[in-house]
Amino acid sequence: MRAGFASVALMLVLAYPVWSIMLRPDLDLWRTDDGEPHLLRMLAMRLAFTESLALPRWASDMYRGYGYPVFNYYAPLTYIGATILGLLGLSAWDAFQVLGLGAIAAGATGAYALVRMASPRAMGYRDHIPAITAGLLYSFAPYPFITNLYIRGDLPEALGLGIAPWFLLAVDRCLVTTGHVRALRATLLASVLGAGLLLVHQLSGAMALGAAVAWAIGRTITGQIARDGLRRAITRLVIGGTVAAGLTAFSVVPTLTEGRSVQLGLVRVPPAEMVEKLAVPFGTVARPIAMHPGADPGLPGAVDWTWIYRYPWGLPPTFGPVKPAAPHAVIALVAVAGAAAVSLLGLIQRGYASAGPVASPALVLGGAWLLNTTWTQRVWEDFPPMQFLQFPSRLYGPFSLGVAVAVGMVLQHVAARSTKWRRAAWTAGTASVLALAIASLANPPIPFAADVSQAVDARALLRTEYNRDAWNGGAATGNSEFTPVGIEIAESIPGRPRGNQVFDRAYPPGSWVGSTALVYAGAARITSLRHDSYRHDIGVEVEADHATVAVHQLWFPGWRAYVDGVPAPIRTPPYDATEDSRLGFQLVDVPSGSHLVTVQFGSTLSRLTGNAITTVTAIGVAASLASFLWRNRQAATVTSRAGWAAATAVAAGVAALAGSQLAFETARSLPPQPLPGVFANAIVTDVAAAVRAGQARISSPTGSELGPDKFIDVRWALVGEFEVARPNIVEFPHGGRLRQWLFMHPTSRVTFESSVTDRDTFFTAGMALRPEAWHTDYGDGVRFAVDVATAGSQPIEVYAQRLNPRANIDERRWVEVRLPLAAYVGQSVEITLRTDPVDDVRNDWAGWGNPMVVVDHTLLRPENGPDVPANVGPRPRF
């Protein structure tokens, strides 16, 4: 036992050149291919989990705060692990490092254990060098960890490849183990590890399943199945697979059944693009590159005959390795030849050589290698599920594991023959490890930079979404494969930023009350707002016959709307020809009068079914283990009883978590109950309502009275010119342009009191001059200003802005202002709104639209969106 621990420790120390990179402070994960998305998804999971304390199917802070259902589809276990580490005080960056190191350690020790445990003691089991060689070969292989962690930044795939050898070991134990207790243990481990693979990275789980099939074939053809027969071995695997499917049903069932609700087809790569990444095994002429004609196709052949791996490999956009470099290929070929020799001797002699399943890893590496050549072109073309792998070189993960384990097992058999052969095996193992380490680490394009920011925060998420001129919302959303189908945005309109910037141009962030709701159509005002990530209670007072309220979340199955507790339909905005887009946020129609609109994210039959299957499966596993423990309480050792009791407790814990998820989603799907008191009204002060109720001090040339003939009044203002494609009709209404207006002709003052109890408190409003003032013969604009005074102090001007839409066309709209009041937390303040003339008061028909003091905890984007009025400031960047 001590020798085993020492060997594992030595192996991990020798793997220092690989895992030490993860600890370098200048490693720039932001510049890896997928590092930024995974870091930001960790952040999104943490933000959502803190409000729900359950698996979030919906990340409300993603896609510019319109929400994104990434966790309903993408394997969530990596992000759950990062969230747990966050509860322990680690940042998202630290969690990435810890999990990355865990992936390397799991892969190395898994390959070590697979070589050690798949060979009986009689065959040199006491010699640890072959197993150490296997662990190091897997660690130093270019694709599993060096590429996935440091070049691609794909942490979930790296974790999947770390679990893969342990999964193969569990499958192997199911094939060869005899005895009820051992068989039960093997089946349980296979099911748990298989479930873990699928919940970490679905594609790695699919590849590991293929590797397990190849492994089982290798065991079968060499006659190395357990004495109780192939049928029982298969039965154990089927039971393990069934349990794994049940444990992952909460994630897998929605993924398989709700794919039509999102644009999942975007993740699928066209066959022609898959095929061009395949290597030509033999020949003299390089194959043509159809999809990427500027790429170097390289020389024909299944091997890149260079000593050092050439990065980046292959073709854009993935740059996967089309073929292995010479050292890896030679090691693989020697391993296959050695495995064939050992297996052949075993079949002939039925002696020592038959003791290890060397044919199994040879089949794994051979199958993965073959699928990266044109000999298997028809498989990629005619079998659509293969195209979801995105690039064939993903199979170099199983290939690398097959090479490592095959070498380890062959060396294990060679070392068992004699001391001289053992020394030869040690020499060969050392040479292979050194050769592969040099080939992989001599020139990898790992991004390093000085002063790398490790802050994974709201600003980082906003940076990727706001600064990126692409329709898919930002790096955190990947290729937009999880974008709801209600979103259609043209990819290119000359001179117009695309993508999520279309949302902010048409509906600037500052126009949404508390970044949550706005009046989309009709004369109505929002009077109250209480919400969390999954529910929005919006008080609405409608003065017209009816109105439409917009909610700042995309529609996706599970969202439900209620008006005064009665179910109401949800619709989305129609096609907008001026932007060539269809935006998919939620609209709810409201009748005349005062009403409470509730929009709540619940579940679907598919998700509830998946949750129920997982719950029942976990309960069944826990009950079976408890029963087994009870029946064997006398015969089992103390250590064994403790192990089975721990497994029972874990299964019971999983059942409790699954049951809690089922209860949470079920409760969210029922008609809404009153929100707990902790959700205070986000609208602290409605200034227009306060003025109308006589709760504000008014000063103007016409005194303190309100009225249509006075300098100050509360009325409705429609600001914005209508294009032909956007007529003011119900089918395409004005969307936030008709607002309750605090009309203040210069020189006017309105002073009101407001308490500031939260750091995220803001004064928000839209400043505008009436459209009639845009086309007059004279007008020099209006100066809008905000003064703030605390108890006994003199007012201080904290904001001022001159607007002149007559001269500046880009000011012919609501110009949003969002003034932070964090400096006054814990105080009651007096806020004064002022409108002052510039030089002349003629045509100064000015006012504030929807002036409010609100609490806004969302990730705030620039209030005016990507098109900022020229005299207000430049286009913001994060």
Side-chain angles (χ1 to χ4, degrees):
M1 182 68 73
R2 291 181 180 178
F5 283 124
S7 299
V8 170
L10 174 63
M11 177 186 64
L12 294 177
V13 170
L14 293 175
Y16 173 83
V18 176
W19 58 258
S20 63
I21 299 172
M22 182 59 74
L23 298 177
R24 290 185 54 166
D26 58 346
L27 174 63
D28 193 350
L29 294 173
W30 299 113
R31 288 168 48 205
T32 58
D33 290 343
D34 294 326
E36 186 175 37
H38 293 303
L39 284 169
L40 294 176
R41 288 177 184 179
M42 289 178 183
L43 171 66
M45 171 71 85
R46 291 186 181 191
L47 292 173
F49 180 79
T50 54
E51 290 200 5
S52 64
L53 298 180
L55 173 68
R57 304 279 187 179
W58 183 260
S60 61
D61 292 303
M62 296 181 70
Y63 206 89
R64 287 209 165 176
Y66 283 92
Y68 200 66
V70 58
F71 303 126
N72 192 58
Y73 297 96
Y74 198 91
L77 195 54
T78 301
Y79 311 122
I80 293 174
T83 300
I84 294 173
L85 292 173
L87 297 175
L88 299 176
L90 274 67
S91 68
W93 190 280
D94 294 336
F96 192 109
Q97 291 181 308
V98 169
L99 293 175
L101 293 173
I104 298 171
T109 56
Y112 173 96
L114 190 54
V115 171
R116 292 278 292 158
M117 297 188 68
S119 300
R121 293 181 182 274
M123 295 296 98
Y125 192 86
R126 290 170 294 175
D127 189 352
H128 296 267
I129 299 300
I132 293 175
T133 300
L136 292 175
L137 285 175
Y138 193 39
S139 301
F140 287 122
Y143 184 78
F145 307 113
I146 297 173
T147 294
N148 274 316
L149 289 176
Y150 307 132
I151 300 174
R152 294 187 61 225
D154 194 341
L155 177 61
E157 185 166 348
L159 283 169
L161 291 171
I163 298 173
W166 290 102
F167 173 67
L168 286 184
L169 177 58
V171 169
D172 184 77
R173 297 299 89 191
C174 287
L175 292 170
V176 303
T177 296
T178 57
H180 180 60
V181 175
R182 291 182 177 178
L184 177 60
R185 182 187 297 116
T187 304
L188 179 64
L189 288 174
S191 62
V192 170
L193 291 169
L197 263 169
L198 287 172
L199 293 177
V200 162
H201 193 246
Q202 292 105 324
L203 295 180
S204 293
M207 292 186 295
L209 179 61
V213 172
W215 190 278
I217 292 174
R219 277 289 197 184
T220 303
I221 62 178
T222 53
Q224 296 171 12
I225 301 299
R227 291 191 301 273
D228 54 3
L230 179 62
R231 187 174 63 181
R232 289 197 174 184
I234 293 176
T235 300
R236 287 192 285 268
L237 291 176
V238 170
I239 293 174
T242 302
V243 172
L247 293 175
T248 60
F250 74 95
S251 176
V252 173
V253 171
T255 300
L256 296 177
T257 58
E258 295 186 342
R260 293 184 179 181
S261 299
V262 294
Q263 305 184 41
L264 203 56
L266 293 174
V267 78
R268 182 175 170 182
V269 175
E273 192 168 334
M274 298 287 286
V275 167
E276 72 176 1
K277 295 180 174 67
L278 301 177
V280 180
F282 299 105
T284 58
V285 180
R287 64 179 316 182
I289 304 300
M291 301 291 291
H292 304 93
D296 180 8
L299 297 175
V303 179
D304 184 6
W305 292 105
T306 58
W307 178 258
I308 305 300
Y309 262 103
R310 292 189 286 191
Y311 298 87
W313 306 302
L315 309 173
T318 57
F319 292 107
V322 171
K323 57 187 78 174
H328 212 178
V330 169
I331 294 170
L333 291 172
V334 171
V336 170
V342 168
S343 298
L344 182 61
L345 287 174
L347 292 173
I348 295 174
Q349 299 177 358
R350 306 301 296 175
Y352 79 90
S354 65
V358 289
S360 295
L363 288 176
V364 171
L365 76 88
W369 200 351
L370 181 65
L371 284 169
N372 269 279
T373 67
T374 52
W375 286 346
T376 56
Q377 178 171 330
R378 293 295 300 273
V379 175
W380 296 102
E381 292 176 334
D382 299 340
F383 189 50
M386 295 290 287
Q387 295 152 23
F388 282 95
L389 285 178
Q390 297 179 311
F391 46 97
S393 56
R394 266 204 160 103
L395 292 167
Y396 281 116
F399 167 83
S400 301
L401 178 58
V403 171
V405 175
V407 169
M409 288 186 170
V410 169
L411 293 181
Q412 186 95 311
H413 284 268
V414 171
R417 301 193 63 178
S418 66
T419 302
K420 183 184 295 185
W421 280 101
R422 179 173 296 178
R423 291 173 181 170
W426 291 1
T427 302
T430 302
S432 63
V433 169
L434 288 174
L436 187 58
I438 294 172
S440 299
L441 292 171
N443 191 35
I446 300 174
F448 296 110
D451 301 324
V452 175
S453 172
Q454 298 184 359
V456 185
D457 52 17
R459 189 172 183 83
L461 181 58
L462 291 170
R463 180 178 63 243
T464 183
E465 294 196 337
Y466 193 80
N467 294 346
R468 176 170 167 159
D469 183 12
W471 81 272
N472 62 0
T477 57
N479 293 321
S480 292
E481 61 268 26
F482 308 129
T483 304
V485 293
I487 304 295
E488 296 179 21
I489 301 178
E491 294 189 12
S492 178
I493 293 181
R496 304 299 294 274
R498 304 310 301 154
N500 52 27
Q501 297 181 12
V502 173
F503 287 91
D504 285 1
R505 182 162 46 248
Y507 304 93
S511 66
W512 297 82
V513 178
S515 300
T516 300
L518 60 75
V519 177
Y520 184 79
R525 63 190 186 94
I526 295 174
T527 59
S528 65
L529 179 63
R530 291 177 170 85
H531 65 97
D532 60 13
S533 294
Y534 290 94
R535 174 174 168 175
H536 308 281
D537 279 2
I538 307 161
V540 185
E541 186 175 293
V542 182
E543 294 188 9
D545 292 337
H546 66 278
T548 302
V549 173
V551 181
H552 199 278
Q553 294 287 281
L554 301 178
W555 186 86
F556 179 71
W559 282 106
R560 296 166 172 82
Y562 304 85
V563 177
D564 298 327
V566 178
I570 296 176
R571 56 189 180 91
T572 57
Y575 172 75
D576 179 359
T578 63
E579 293 285 5
D580 192 11
S581 63
R582 191 184 308 276
L583 307 182
F585 58 79
Q586 302 176 47
L587 302 177
V588 180
D589 294 324
V590 187
S592 177
S594 296
H595 302 280
L596 178 64
V597 177
T598 299
V599 177
Q600 180 171 283
F601 184 74
S603 194
T604 62
L605 179 60
S606 174
R607 296 169 214 162
L608 293 176
T609 300
N611 291 337
I613 292 173
T614 298
T615 303
V616 171
T617 301
I619 292 174
V621 171
S624 299
L625 291 176
S627 176
F628 173 83
L629 181 61
W630 177 258
R631 293 196 309 270
N632 295 273
R633 64 188 184 281
Q634 301 296 334
T637 64
V638 174
T639 303
S640 178
R641 287 199 302 271
W644 288 109
T648 304
V650 170
V654 172
L657 291 174
S660 299
Q661 183 74 25
L662 176 60
F664 171 79
E665 294 192 28
T666 301
R668 286 286 184 172
S669 304
L670 299 175
Q673 300 298 316
L675 275 172
V678 293
F679 295 106
N681 187 0
I683 299 176
V684 179
T685 305
D686 183 337
V687 182
V691 169
R692 194 165 45 195
Q695 298 172 355
R697 298 197 306 272
I698 297 173
S699 174
S700 75
T702 57
S704 60
E705 295 183 4
L706 306 178
D709 59 341
K710 307 299 182 182
F711 269 46
I712 298 180
D713 194 20
V714 177
R715 59 183 70 162
W716 298 96
L718 182 60
V719 176
E721 294 183 313
F722 289 104
E723 300 90 348
V724 174
R726 300 179 67 168
N728 185 22
I729 57 177
V730 174
E731 285 72 18
F732 198 91
H734 39 75
R737 286 186 280 180
L738 178 65
R739 301 189 189 179
Q740 185 173 237
W741 199 34
L742 179 57
F743 174 72
M744 294 177 58
H745 192 291
T747 301
S748 296
R749 306 284 187 270
V750 169
T751 302
F752 62 94
E753 291 187 2
S754 185
S755 59
V756 182
T757 59
D758 193 296
R759 291 193 60 82
D760 292 328
T761 303
F762 302 85
F763 167 74
T764 64
M767 304 173 293
L769 271 71
R770 203 165 60 192
E772 290 87 341
W774 302 350
H775 309 290
T776 56
D777 294 334
Y778 181 83
D780 59 359
V782 173
R783 187 177 186 271
F784 293 79
V786 180
D787 298 339
V788 176
T790 56
S793 68
Q794 292 296 317
I796 299 174
E797 182 178 279
V798 295
Y799 179 85
Q801 182 64 53
R802 175 186 175 182
L803 296 182
N804 186 9
R806 178 181 173 275
N808 303 313
I809 296 177
D810 63 348
E811 294 174 6
R812 294 178 179 178
R813 54 167 164 152
W814 293 111
V815 177
E816 311 296 342
V817 56
R818 183 170 56 216
L819 181 64
L821 300 175
Y824 308 99
V825 171
Q827 302 180 62
S828 179
V829 297
E830 277 193 345
I831 300 175
T832 300
L833 307 183
R834 295 190 284 116
T835 52
D836 299 322
V838 178
D839 292 316
D840 196 298
V841 296
R842 284 179 292 176
N843 305 320
D844 285 356
W845 303 313
W848 307 78
N850 289 345
M852 292 182 176
V853 174
V854 301
V855 174
D856 191 345
H857 295 299
T858 63
L859 307 186
L860 296 176
R861 310 187 304 284
E863 54 269 23
N864 286 290
D867 299 329
V868 183
N871 73 324
V872 173
R875 178 176 183 269
R877 294 186 69 82
F878 288 89

